[in-house]
C-alpha cells in the first residue's frame, strides 16, 4: 500500500511541476451569480465598447495636502505642487501626469485642502510594477517637507506568502499534544507521518489540477489546513483504538483489523460528512467558493484514505511498541492507569448530569458572551483601497473619500428608452434630487439613440451604508422619467449586489446544512430529540465562531498577535465557508461522543449512567482531538493572508467552543434532562430507517467491553 501512495504522489508531482511553471498559476475563479448590476454592465460593455466603466488601469494617484493646512490653491503651495508633479513625470514607466489645477479637469476639493494628480504608466509585468510602485512611494516620502503626499491605488494585486512561522509552530504544538496523549514519541510520529503524507498528496493533486485550471492561493491554503487538521484527528482515533485492542491482549494483526473496522468506520462517516458539507458549498453558485469547497473536500478525502490505508501499514510495523513500555503487557497496571486518567473526566460528567440546568445555563451564557460581537458584524465582497487599513494606499483612498466623496467608486446609471438623448437632462435632474448624491456627470448616448450612460458620484465610499441606500434609491426611481427605465451598475453597484447575493446564499446554505444535520443524525442515532440538541449546539458554536471573528478581524482585538490586517468589515464569503466547515467538524465530535453514550445505553445502563460512562470513554480522545485541531488552526491564523487567517481563526474559536462547551457541557446536560426520551423514535420510523453502525460496534456484539468489568452504577436511576 505504501508503494501505491508513492506512485500516486510521484504522478501528481509531475502535474504539480507543470502547474508551478504555468503562467496561469494562482489566477483562480471569481465568478459571481448574475445580478441586476452585472447584467446592466454587460449592456454597457456592448453599447460602449471603448468605455473603461470605472477602471483606472495602470495608474497611481498622488493625494497632496499642505502640512500647515493652507489651501493648495495658494500660489506658493500650488507652485510647489506643480514642480513636484513635473518631477513625477520622470518616474520609471510614467507616460503622463495630470494637473489638478487644469481648469478643464480640476481635481481640487471644495475645501481647497487637497489636490489629486493621476500618474499613468505603460504596460508592466508584476515584477516591474512592484519596483515602480516602490519608487513612487519613495518619491512621495521625499516630497518637500511642507507637503503631505500619499500614494493611492496599486499597480499589481497585493499578495501575501501563504505560509509563515505560525503554521510551523501550530504543527509542533499539535505534535506535542500527540506525545502527551499517547505517551510515546514513535506513536505521535506515526500519527504525524500519516497526516503530513496526506497533505503532501493533497497538495500535489490540487496543484496538478492547476496545470489545467488556475486556482487561488487561498484555495490551496484551506485544503492544506483542513487536510492536516482532520488527518491528525482521524489517525488519532484509529491509533487510540489500536492501543486499546493491544491492551486487551489481542495480536497486532487482529488489533489493526479491529481498529480499522471500528474507529475506521467512524472516520469514514465523519469524513464523508465533512466532504458533503464542503461540496455543498457549490449550491451558492459562486465560482471561488465552489473551488475552495471542492479543494477542501479533496484534502479531507485524502486524509481519510491515508488513515485507512497507510496508517494500518505503519501500525503493523510498530506492533506493541505503539504502547508505552509499562502497558505493553496487558494487566492490572494498565487498567489502573486508565482508571486514573479517567477519574477527572468521570467527575466532570457526574457534576454535569447531576446539575443539568445549571450546566446548560453556564454553557449558553459563555457562548452568548463570545457570540455577542456578531451583532455588529459588517460584510463586504471586496475591500476598497487595499486590504490593509494602515497602509498608505488605504489612507490615500480614505482621504479622497473624505474630500471628494465617492469619486473613486462612481455609480454608472444605464438609461434605456426611445430618443433617450432628449431625456438625459430630466434623468440627471431626477438623479440629482436623490439623497447621498454628490454630483451627476452628463451622460453619453449610443449611436442608436436608445441607451445613455450617466455617472453618479455618491457622497460616501463604496461600502458605506449611504451608498447602498443610494443604489436602492435609484432602483426605486427606475421609472420616474416617462418612457425611460434606469439600471445602476459599475464596480460599486456590483460589489453591493454581490454582498447581498452572498447574504442570501448564506441563509439558503444554512437551511440546507441544518436539514442535512437533522437527517444524518436521525439516521445514525435513531432518535428525534438528540439530533435537535446536537444541531442547536452546532448553531451556538457557529455563532461563537462568528462573534470571535468579528472581535478580532473587525474590532482588532488581537492586532498584536495576528499579522493579517484588521479593522475591516468581514469578507462576505467568510460566514458561508465557516458554516460548511464547522458543520462537518461539529458532526465529528457529535458522532464520537453520541455513539459512545448510545452504546452504553443499549447495554442496559440507565440514561445518566450511560452518559457518564460514554463521556468518560470518549472525552479523553475528544479533548485531545479538539486541542490538536485548534492548535493547527491557530497556527494558520497567524498567516499574513487575510482570508486564510480569518477562516483559520474562526475555525479555531468554533472548534474549541464546540468541543469544550457544546459537547462536554451542553450535550451531556441536555441528554440528562431528556432521560430516556432522548433515544425515543416512532416505531414506524424505526422500522424504515437503515441501520448505520458508524463505529463498527457490531464487531463487539458478542464480547464484553474492555472496561465493562469496571463499570458500576454511577448515579441512581
Amino acid at each position: 500500500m505504501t508503494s501505491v501512495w508513492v506512485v500516486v504522489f510521484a504522478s501528481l508531482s509531475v502535474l504539480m511541476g507543470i502547474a508551478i511553471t504555468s503562467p496561469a498559476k494562482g489566477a483562480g475563479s471569481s465568478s459571481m451569480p448574475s445580478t441586476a448590476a452585472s447584467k446592466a454592465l454587460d449592456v454597457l460593455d456592448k453599447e460602449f465598447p471603448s468605455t473603461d466603466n470605472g477602471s483606472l488601469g495602470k495608474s497611481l494617484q498622488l493625494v497632496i495636502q499642505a502640512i500647515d493646512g493652507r489651501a493648495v490653491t495658494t500660489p506658493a503651495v500650488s507652485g510647489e505642487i506643480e514642480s513636484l508633479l513635473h518631477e513625477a513625470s520622470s518616474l520609471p514607466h510614467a507616460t503622463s501626469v495630470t494637473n489638478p489645477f487644469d481648469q478643464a479637469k480640476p481635481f481640487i476639493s471644495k475645501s481647497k485642502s487637497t489636490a489629486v494628480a493621476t500618474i499613468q504608466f505603460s504596460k508592466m509585468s508584476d515584477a516591474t510594477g512592484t519596483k515602480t510602485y516602490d519608487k513612487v512611494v519613495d518619491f512621495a516620502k521625499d516630497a518637500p517637507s511642507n507637503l503631505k503626499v500619499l500614494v493611492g491605488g496599486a499597480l499589481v494585486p497585493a499578495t501575501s506568502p501563504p505560509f509563515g512561522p505560525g503554521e510551523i509552530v501550530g504543527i509542533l504544538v499539535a505534535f506535542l499534544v500527540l506525545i502527551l496523549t499517547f505517551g510515546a514519541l514513535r506513536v505521535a510520529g506515526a500519527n504525524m507521518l500519516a497526516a503530513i503524507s496526506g497533505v503532501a498528496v493533497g497538495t500535489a493533486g490540487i496543484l496538478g489540477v492547476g496545470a489545467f485550471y488556475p486556482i487561488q492561493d487561498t484555495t490551496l491554503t484551506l485544503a492544506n489546513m483542513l487536510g492536516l487538521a482532520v488527518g491528525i484527528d482521524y489517525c488519532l482515533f484509529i491509533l487510540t483504538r489500536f492501543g486499546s485492542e493491544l491492551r486487551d491482549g489481542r495480536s497486532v494483526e487482529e488489533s489493526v483489523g479491529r481498529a480499522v473496522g471500528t474507529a475506521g468506520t467512524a472516520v469514514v462517516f465523519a469524513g464523508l460528512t465533512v466532504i458533503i458539507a464542503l461540496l455543498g458549498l457549490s449550491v451558492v453558485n459562486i465560482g471561488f467558493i465552489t473551488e475552495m469547497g471542492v479543494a477542501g473536500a479533496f484534502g479531507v478525502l485524502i486524509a481519510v484514505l491515508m488513515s485507512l490505508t497507510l496508517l494500518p501499514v505503519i501500525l503493523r510495523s510498530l506492533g506493541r511498541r505503539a504502547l508505552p513500555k509499562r502497558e505493553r503487557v496487558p494487566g492490572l497496571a494498565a487498567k489502573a492507569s486508565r482508571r486514573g486518567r479517567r477519574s477527572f473526566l468521570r467527575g466532570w460528567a457526574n457534576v454535569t448530569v447531576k446539575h443539568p440546568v445549571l450546566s446548560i445555563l453556564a454553557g449558553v451564557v459563555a457562548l452568548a458572551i463570545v457570540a455577542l460581537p456578531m451583532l455588529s458584524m459588517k460584510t463586504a465582497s471586496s475591500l476598497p483601497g487595499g486590504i490593509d487599513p494602515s497602509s498608505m494606499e488605504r489612507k490615500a483612498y480614505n482621504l479622497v473619500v473624505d474630500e471628494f466623496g465617492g469619486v473613486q467608486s462612481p455609480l454608472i446609471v444605464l438609461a434605456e428608452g426611445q430618443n433617450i438623448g432628449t431625456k438625459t437632462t430630466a434623468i440627471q435632474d431626477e438623479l440629482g434630487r436623490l439623497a447621498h448624491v454628490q454630483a451627476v456627470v452628463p451622460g453619453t448616448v449610443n449611436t442608436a439613440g436608445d441607451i445613455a450612460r450617466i455617472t453618479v458620484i455618491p457622497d460616501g465610499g463604496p461600502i458605506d451604508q449611504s451608498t447602498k441606500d443610494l443604489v436602492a434609491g435609484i432602483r426605486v426611481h427606475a421609472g420616474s422619467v416617462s418612457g425611460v427605465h434606469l439600471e445602476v451598475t459599475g464596480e460599486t453597484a456590483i460589489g453591493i449586489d454581490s454582498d447581498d447575493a452572498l447574504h442570501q446564499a448564506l441563509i439558503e446554505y444554512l437551511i440546507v446544512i441544518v436539514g442535512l444535520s437533522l437527517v444524518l443524525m436521525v439516521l445514525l442515532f435513531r432518535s428525534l430529540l438528540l439530533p435537535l440538541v446536537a444541531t442547536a449546539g452546532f448553531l451556538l458554536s457557529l455563532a461563537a465562531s462568528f462573534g470571535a471573528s468579528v472581535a478580532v478581524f473587525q474590532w482588532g482585538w488581537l492586532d498584536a498577535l495576528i499579522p493579517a490586517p484588521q479593522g475591516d468589515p468581514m469578507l462576505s464569503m467568510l460566514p458561508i465557508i465557516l458554516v460548511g466547515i464547522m458543520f462537518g467538524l461539529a458532526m465529528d465530535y457529535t458522532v464520537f461522543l453520541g455513539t459512545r453514550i448510545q452504546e452504553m445505553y443499549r447495554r442496559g445502563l440507565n440514561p445518566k449512567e450511560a452518559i457518564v460512562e460514554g463521556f468518560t470513554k470518549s472525552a479523553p480522545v475528544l479533548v485531545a482531538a479538539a486541542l490538536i485541531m485548534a492548535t493547527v488552526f491557530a497556527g494558520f491564523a497567524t498567516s499574513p493572508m487575510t482570508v486564510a487567517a480569518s477562516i483559520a481563526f474562526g475555525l479555531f474559536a468554533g472548534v474549541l467552543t464546540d468541543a469544550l462547551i457544546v459537547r462536554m457541557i451542553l450535550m451531556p446536560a441536555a441528554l440528562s434532562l431528556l432521560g430516556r426520551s432522548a433515544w425515543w423514535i416512532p416505531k414506524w420510523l424505526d422500522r424504515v430507517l437503515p441501520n448505520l453502525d458508524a463505529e463498527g460496534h457490531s464487531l463487539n456484539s458478542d464480547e464484553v467491553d474492555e472496561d465493562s468489568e469496571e463499570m458500576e452504577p454511577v448515579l441512581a436511576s
Side-chain angles (χ1 to χ4, degrees), residues 420-692:
I420 197 71
T422 63
K423 302 173 183 177
T424 54
T425 300
I427 297 171
Q428 292 164 33
D429 291 342
E430 186 68 27
L431 292 173
R433 284 191 287 268
L434 296 177
H436 310 300
V437 172
Q438 179 160 297
V440 179
V441 180
T444 56
V445 180
N446 67 344
T447 54
D450 57 355
I451 293 178
R453 177 184 183 276
I454 302 170
T455 301
V456 176
I457 308 298
D459 60 13
I463 60 175
D464 291 347
Q465 185 60 46
S466 62
T467 304
K468 296 178 182 179
D469 293 341
L470 175 56
V471 170
I474 293 173
R475 287 170 173 163
V476 168
H477 293 80
S480 56
V481 177
S482 178
V484 176
H485 178 72
L486 304 180
E487 291 286 354
V488 60
T489 184
E491 185 178 347
T492 297
I494 290 175
I496 292 172
D497 282 0
S498 298
D499 192 39
D500 291 341
L502 286 165
H503 285 173
Q504 182 62 35
L506 172 62
I507 296 172
E508 295 172 356
Y509 185 56
L510 193 57
I511 292 172
V512 170
I513 284 297
V514 169
L516 180 63
S517 171
L518 292 172
V519 170
L520 285 176
M521 284 189 286
V522 168
L523 285 172
L524 176 62
F525 294 113
R526 310 183 82 80
S527 162
L528 293 185
L529 294 182
L530 188 148
L532 291 175
V533 169
T535 301
F538 156 68
L539 293 175
L540 286 172
S541 60
L542 182 65
S545 174
F546 287 175
S549 297
V550 169
V552 171
F553 288 93
Q554 189 173 309
W555 293 358
W557 279 12
L558 294 181
D559 187 56
L561 298 178
I562 296 181
Q566 299 178 41
D568 287 319
M570 304 295 292
L571 290 173
S572 304
M573 70 169 184
L574 178 64
I576 296 177
I577 293 176
L578 287 179
V579 167
I581 301 174
M582 276 298 302
F583 165 72
L585 301 181
M587 282 291 292
D588 286 0
Y589 297 137
T590 301
V591 170
F592 195 74
L593 176 62
T595 53
R596 270 299 199 178
I597 295 174
Q598 184 183 48
E599 179 186 2
M600 297 299 105
Y601 179 72
R602 288 179 175 177
R603 289 188 178 187
L605 296 182
N606 69 52
K608 292 189 176 182
E609 291 174 348
I611 294 169
V612 172
E613 288 301 328
F615 183 93
T616 304
K617 292 176 182 297
S618 58
V621 180
L622 190 152
V623 171
L627 290 178
I628 289 169
M629 192 170 285
T631 56
V632 172
F633 290 148
F636 278 85
T638 63
S639 168
M641 295 176 63
T642 301
V643 176
S646 55
I647 293 174
F649 184 82
L651 295 177
F652 164 78
V655 164
L656 284 184
T657 54
D658 190 86
L660 302 183
I661 298 181
V662 173
R663 307 307 157 191
M664 295 192 68
I665 298 177
L666 297 184
M667 188 170 171
L671 292 179
S672 177
L673 277 179
L674 292 173
R676 297 185 185 278
S677 61
W679 308 104
W680 175 82
I681 189 172
K683 291 183 179 180
W684 66 267
L685 183 58
D686 186 51
R687 287 193 298 267
V688 300
L689 290 178
N691 187 21
L692 299 182

Side-chain angles (χ1 to χ4, degrees), residues 6 43 151 191 208 273 289 344 347 360 554 610 626 652 687 704:
V6 171
V43 175
V151 179
N191 195 321
T273 303
I289 291 182
F344 171 77
I360 290 174
Q554 189 173 309
F652 164 78
R687 287 193 298 267
V704 180

